[in-house]
Amino acid sequence: MIFKFIPQLRLLGHSLPATGFTAFKPGSTICFNGSIPVLKRVFPFKLSVRSLSTRPSRPRSGASSKFTPTIRGDVRASKSLIEDEAELSDWVGELRTDSFRGQLTSEDEELDAGRERNRVRSGDRKRNAVPVKRRRESGLDNFRESSKREPRGRLGDSFSRNSRFSKQFDSELEDEDIDDDDDDEEYSSSKTRGVKREAQKVDSWKGKRNERGSGSRNKGNGRRNNLERKSNSREEEDSDANEEIRSWKMSGAENFLSEEDTDIIDDGDYGILRKNASSALGLEKDVNQTESPLSSQGKSDSYLSETRFDQISISPLSLKGIKDAGYEKMTVVQEATLPAILKGKDVLAKAKTGTGKTVAFLLPSIEIVSKLPPVDRDVKRPPIHVLVICPTRCDWRYKTCFRAKTPASKPLPGFATKLMGVKVLVLDEADRLLDMGFRKDIERIIAAVPKQRQTLLFSATVPEEVHQICHIALRRDHEFISTVQEGSGDTHSQVRQVYMVSPLDKHFSLLYVLLKEHIADDVDYKVLVFCTTAMVTKLVADVLSELNLNVREIHSRKSQSYRTRVSDEFRKSKGLILVTSDVSARGVDYPDVTLVVQVGIPSDRQQYIHRLGRTGRKGKEGQGILLLAPWEEHFLSSIKDLPIAKAPLPSLDPETTKKVGRALSHVEMKAKESAYQAWLGYYNSDKKVGKDKYRLVELANEFSRSMGLDNPPAIPKLVLSKMGLRNIPGLRAR
Ligand SMILES: Nc1ncnc2c1ncn2[C@@H]1O[C@H](COP(=O)(O)OP(=O)(O)OP(=O)(O)O)[C@@H](O)[C@H]1O
């Protein structure tokens, strides 16, 4: 019996169409892990399906029926997936307990830590050699043992580097007052913010203050309610999730289908680089450099190839799913990787952002699973056939932060049995997984799945670390396939990139002017503004809202349900600005983003590229602006190979400066204090800026003044000492 695999596909992220993709045999499972944004909200829904239904549910009419399990097999698959994911999370969570306990809690904090780690990494590479004892502790020897059966490549990379979380202090963690779970209230208020601000123009200053006062009181109530909610409201969480699922079900298909596939510039010059393992590691010359069929036309960027899906040998049901999704031709990366993957090769693939990598690894995975013999429906623990690890969110970490458990190096026996069914292991955004400190976990997952499997690594950026993990993840004869033509850079040529350098005290005004200019140029504007940390994101969103721009904010301090709602709204909307931390930097497929602004230095080159990659997707045009302070210019050396040019600063008239100053004065003090502390934590971790603590504090106080605070906010002594900033003149301790 077959069933549609739609809910599980949806878990993968937002880029996939919410239509039927293919059919599966009962018991087959694709397990997505590594924290997919919709995971949490989907699970409760599925759990409720399980608890309510022991019989096949009835098909419903209309669009939503596509998403509703209609036969027994669906329900079984949902159950299976829930259990698999939870078990994998539990197991990996336990792996992480030792390295995460009591530490960071936000993506931004991870970045801070990542920067710390980069500092370590940039040191002596020889330190990577791992003493035997540490290898044992890290489980490397276990892995060695398991890898004896079939050598996958050279072992012996560093296992000592992923201790970033154990070192780095989270400056924002102290900020207990910012509770993002009062988000329902916040969401609706943020939605009406633009309109509300217009109305407020006529208010007196006093009136404004009153309103803000009551706003924060409400927020306080929201927090209390929230605490109550947290203590006893599994049901509420479930219904919240159900509501999201419902709205997703109602909107998913139309979202996808409304995307315009027709205005693609059909003029590509992708060169496809194929290397075997040794050449990918730089040990050999490129063995095989071929060009895509379109490249001979000598035109610029295109993400589509000339090959249609019906020209390759895939199952009729997959083909139907592809057609339902509105796809006809393969993208270049799909064309380049599908044959190799379908032949059973391990593949490391590099392709620019927004060029269809998700389908490139998912479609062949589905094909592989669909060809497997059916799993007996009565099998107690049906195997996981495909395991996809993505870095989007970090549920493992949340669990381990608050649960002290004995670290486990092996999955529970039942789960281990399920993992032994893995035929395909996918590491999506492998570089980010490593950067987030998941190296050890990946190694243990690799050790827990069969040697006889296919492994696929996909990313838009493939730094040295990824090549290192190839030694243990991929077979020696794997193919390295890059659709990024050498010398063309890792970004899209149809995205115009500029940077601007200006003193910090002008950044708010400049951002405002840049956004106003963009809005004036393009009525269909859709802008992402990336900020350095969650709290700085909140501050910038508050200021822009005060300036009557149509703004939403998204960052790690917002609950997942809030983020999902805002994200869905942004996906569908035009005429909207999303101010965001790096939670939106990767793997998020917002159609038609017209401009990406990055305020302050990104954590590294890769992050710059992925953030910028939220625009210019599917061959469309876009713009990117990087706004730096003079002392941040050192970052430019890491992107000097990219086509980014210096742009003159737009002029700031005194009226604009005054207006922005007024807006800043309306922002809550608490938001400024939190932003100041977060800012300090972020730049403290920057290897250049954070080196001289005296200078760092001067700059932090410059940031404080840019928010209108001549007297910088006081910071808890404990926080200062953890940041290594006790007794630095210019800081105020409390
Ligand atoms: N063959 C195709 N034809 C048309 N559209 C496609 C095709 N394959 C994928 N897409 C669409 O292209 C968009 C980008 O795909 P996807 O998000 O997988 O890109 P990506 O390369 O993984 O990007 P990133 O590196 O930013 O994660 C999505 O909207 C997806 O639905």
Side-chain angles (χ1 to χ4, degrees):
M1 196 179 288
I2 56 169
F3 64 91
K4 288 198 171 181
F5 204 63
I6 293 137
Q8 289 84 347
L9 282 178
R10 183 66 175 91
L11 289 178
L12 196 66
H14 300 293
S15 64
L16 285 165
T19 53
F21 205 104
T22 191
F24 268 73
K25 298 175 180 72
S28 295
T29 305
I30 296 188
C31 179
F32 299 94
N33 209 311
S35 53
I36 295 100
V38 287
L39 217 55
K40 271 197 171 167
R41 65 201 174 102
V42 171
F43 278 179
F45 167 71
K46 290 182 182 165
L47 283 168
S48 66
V49 169
R50 176 169 64 155
S51 59
L52 291 174
S53 172
T54 52
R55 284 180 304 167
S57 49
R58 261 184 227 155
R60 289 184 210 163
S61 60
S64 62
S65 66
K66 286 183 194 163
F67 307 97
T68 308
T70 53
I71 54 176
R72 196 180 177 90
D74 298 57
V75 178
R76 279 185 55 85
S78 296
K79 280 163 62 179
S80 166
L81 183 74
I82 296 155
E83 288 156 7
D84 293 342
E85 202 283 338
E87 281 178 90
L88 185 63
S89 286
D90 278 352
W91 169 52
V92 178
E94 283 163 11
L95 294 180
R96 302 206 60 76
T97 307
D98 50 346
S99 54
F100 280 127
R101 194 178 297 143
Q103 289 148 23
L104 310 184
T105 61
S106 83
E107 283 86 340
D108 300 310
E109 293 142 13
E110 286 171 22
L111 283 178
D112 291 353
R115 297 150 74 83
E116 169 68 19
R117 191 172 61 86
N118 286 342
R119 199 157 51 214
V120 175
R121 187 192 298 164
S122 67
D124 185 2
R125 294 241 173 225
K126 284 181 188 160
R127 271 178 283 160
N128 294 346
V130 188
V132 172
K133 182 166 178 286
R134 211 182 313 159
R135 276 209 307 267
R136 281 206 192 107
E137 285 164 0
S138 70
L140 173 59
D141 285 350
N142 291 348
F143 172 71
R144 265 184 190 287
E145 204 52 48
S146 68
S147 62
K148 272 181 193 157
R149 277 167 281 158
E150 182 196 290
R152 280 194 163 258
R154 194 154 46 86
L155 294 171
D157 189 33
S158 168
F159 289 83
S160 60
R161 286 201 243 124
N162 69 347
S163 61
R164 47 184 279 198
F165 292 102
S166 65
K167 287 190 190 148
Q168 188 64 28
F169 175 67
D170 158 26
S171 63
E172 294 182 18
L173 190 61
E174 301 298 314
D175 181 21
E176 287 161 12
D177 284 348
I178 303 293
D179 187 332
D180 55 281
D181 286 332
D182 43 354
D183 288 332
D184 289 347
E185 187 186 328
E186 273 190 47
Y187 177 71
S188 46
S189 73
S190 79
K191 247 186 123 163
T192 53
R193 234 182 336 203
V195 180
K196 201 166 108 193
R197 300 294 175 215
E198 276 304 321
Q200 281 176 354
K201 273 186 188 168
V202 293
D203 284 353
S204 67
W205 165 232
K206 194 171 167 219
K208 277 197 163 198
R209 285 182 65 105
N210 286 343
E211 189 195 312
R212 252 182 287 282
S214 76
S216 47
R217 276 196 300 280
N218 287 341
K219 194 165 175 175
N221 290 339
R223 263 180 227 129
R224 259 196 312 283
N225 293 341
N226 198 33
L227 282 177
E228 285 163 19
R229 236 187 4 229
K230 274 182 188 159
S231 63
N232 62 6
S233 64
R234 176 63 198 220
E235 295 86 351
E236 225 171 289
E237 275 177 31
D238 285 358
S239 73
D240 186 23
N242 286 342
E243 189 200 308
E244 285 172 44
I245 298 290
R246 273 194 296 277
S247 62
W248 164 65
K249 284 197 282 184
M250 298 305 288
S251 64
E254 302 92 84
N255 287 349
F256 176 75
L257 294 173
S258 69
E259 289 180 26
E260 290 165 28
D261 288 349
T262 46
D263 59 346
I264 292 152
I265 311 153
D266 191 16
D267 54 355
D269 66 347
Y270 279 99
I272 301 167
L273 177 68
R274 291 169 195 279
K275 293 176 178 182
N276 68 15
S278 5
S279 63
L281 295 166
L283 305 175
E284 244 177 43
K285 273 202 321 198
D286 300 353
V287 288
N288 185 359
Q289 182 153 5
T290 55
E291 291 193 325
S292 74
L294 286 187
S295 59
S296 57
Q297 295 172 15
K299 295 176 189 167
S300 64
D301 258 357
S302 167
Y303 81 108
L304 282 182
S305 74
E306 283 297 285
T307 312
R308 294 189 319 272
F309 283 100
D310 59 15
Q311 288 175 271
I312 56 156
S313 164
I314 52 170
S315 62
L317 280 161
S318 289
L319 201 56
K320 182 178 181 311
I322 288 286
K323 278 197 180 136
D324 289 351
Y327 306 157
E328 186 198 345
K329 290 175 179 173
M330 292 180 200
T331 67
V332 175
V333 63
Q334 290 157 6
E335 184 203 43
T337 54
L338 273 169
I341 301 174
L342 288 171
K343 255 194 269 163
K345 284 265 184 189
D346 282 3
V347 166
L348 164 62
K350 176 178 173 179
K352 290 183 187 181
T353 49
T355 55
K357 291 187 287 297
T358 316
V359 169
F361 64 71
L362 198 60
L363 174 62
S365 301
I366 288 169
E367 281 298 295
I368 289 160
V369 174
S370 68
K371 289 189 177 68
L372 294 172
V375 177
D376 188 341
R377 274 220 252 124
D378 297 327
V379 167
K380 199 171 155 216
R381 288 189 159 266
I384 294 167
H385 287 319
V386 179
L387 181 60
V388 182
I389 314 281
C390 316
T392 315
R393 273 188 66 227
C394 199
D395 288 342
W396 304 342
R397 198 162 38 99
Y398 285 115
K399 286 191 177 180
T400 53
C401 278
F402 303 109
R403 263 184 7 187
K405 271 200 171 182
T406 316
S409 61
K410 286 185 182 155
L412 294 172
F415 186 53
T417 312
K418 290 172 118 181
L419 284 180
M420 286 317 284
V422 168
K423 300 281 184 256
V424 184
L425 173 67
V426 181
L427 303 180
D428 188 20
E429 314 267 9
D431 57 319
R432 183 68 179 144
L433 285 168
L434 296 176
D435 197 45
M436 288 168 84
F438 287 118
R439 186 189 181 90
K440 207 167 174 176
D441 306 310
I442 292 171
E443 284 157 357
R444 286 184 175 165
I445 290 169
I446 288 170
V449 296
K451 305 301 300 170
Q452 295 295 342
R453 63 164 197 278
Q454 203 172 349
T455 309
L456 312 173
L457 270 72
F458 275 75
S459 188
T461 46
V462 180
E464 176 57 24
E465 293 73 27
V466 175
H467 287 296
Q468 287 171 8
I469 197 103
C470 288
H471 288 302
I472 56 167
L474 301 175
R475 286 181 290 227
R476 281 200 188 128
D477 67 346
H478 71 264
E479 280 199 27
F480 173 46
I481 299 175
S482 172
T483 59
V484 183
Q485 202 172 35
E486 277 181 27
S488 77
D490 290 342
T491 52
H492 292 287
S493 59
Q494 80 276 13
V495 176
R496 203 169 69 88
Q497 301 172 57
V498 296
Y499 70 91
M500 295 177 187
V501 182
S502 132
L504 212 44
D505 64 350
K506 301 223 167 21
H507 278 203
F508 287 112
S509 301
L510 282 172
L511 179 61
Y512 175 57
V513 170
L514 289 168
L515 291 171
K516 287 291 275 186
E517 282 178 0
H518 184 75
I519 291 167
D521 277 358
D522 189 346
V523 277
D524 287 338
Y525 72 91
K526 187 164 179 174
V527 181
L528 276 162
V529 178
F530 282 98
C531 302
T532 47
T533 76
M535 291 297 99
V536 173
T537 301
K538 175 176 166 38
L539 176 86
V540 171
D542 285 356
V543 177
L544 296 179
S545 300
E546 287 288 347
L547 288 161
N548 294 320
L549 295 180
N550 194 16
V551 169
R552 305 287 181 271
E553 67 182 279
I554 197 165
H555 50 75
S556 57
R557 294 307 182 91
K558 294 289 185 190
S559 69
Q560 188 52 47
S561 60
Y562 177 94
R563 286 196 238 173
T564 305
R565 272 198 297 272
V566 169
S567 171
D568 284 349
E569 186 194 359
F570 189 65
R571 186 165 296 107
K572 288 179 225 164
S573 305
K574 288 191 169 150
L576 193 56
I577 298 165
L578 182 63
V579 187
T580 180
S581 69
D582 275 323
V583 295
S584 312
R586 288 182 181 238
V588 188
D589 186 45
Y590 294 127
D592 305 320
V593 170
T594 52
L595 170 68
V596 168
V597 186
Q598 308 191 36
V599 184
I601 28 178
S603 57
D604 56 26
R605 169 196 163 81
Q606 279 81 17
Q607 211 65 351
Y608 171 83
I609 291 169
H610 285 274
R611 284 163 155 200
L612 182 77
R614 298 316 100 200
T615 186
R617 298 177 78 75
K618 299 175 76 176
K620 292 184 181 170
E621 292 192 346
Q623 289 179 54
I625 300 175
L626 174 64
L627 181 56
L628 299 175
W631 41 269
E632 290 177 304
E633 275 188 270
H634 65 271
F635 176 76
L636 295 171
S637 64
S638 66
I639 52 169
K640 60 174 183 291
D641 60 315
L642 302 180
I644 182 167
K646 187 167 186 170
L649 295 173
S651 57
L652 291 177
D653 61 69
E655 199 41 52
T656 303
T657 312
K658 236 195 264 171
K659 192 173 170 184
V660 174
R662 260 200 313 273
L664 272 158
S665 73
H666 294 168
V667 171
E668 276 183 358
M669 181 55 82
K670 180 73 206 154
K672 293 178 187 169
E673 287 171 357
S674 302
Y676 174 75
Q677 189 171 308
W679 193 99
L680 197 57
Y682 183 81
Y683 286 96
N684 189 32
S685 299
D686 180 84
K687 70 175 174 210
K688 283 256 167 48
V689 186
K691 203 157 64 184
D692 179 346
K693 304 296 179 202
Y694 293 88
R695 176 83 179 122
L696 170 74
V697 171
E698 277 173 22
L699 296 174
N701 292 350
E702 199 179 312
F703 176 69
S704 175
R705 284 192 294 279
S706 80
M707 294 186 288
L709 301 180
D710 288 340
N711 199 16
I715 296 181
K717 284 187 184 130
L718 182 67
V719 177
L720 287 179
S721 68
K722 286 186 174 176
M723 283 200 242
L725 296 176
R726 285 294 290 270
N727 305 322
I728 305 288
L731 285 175
R732 291 176 53 227
R734 61 175 156 94

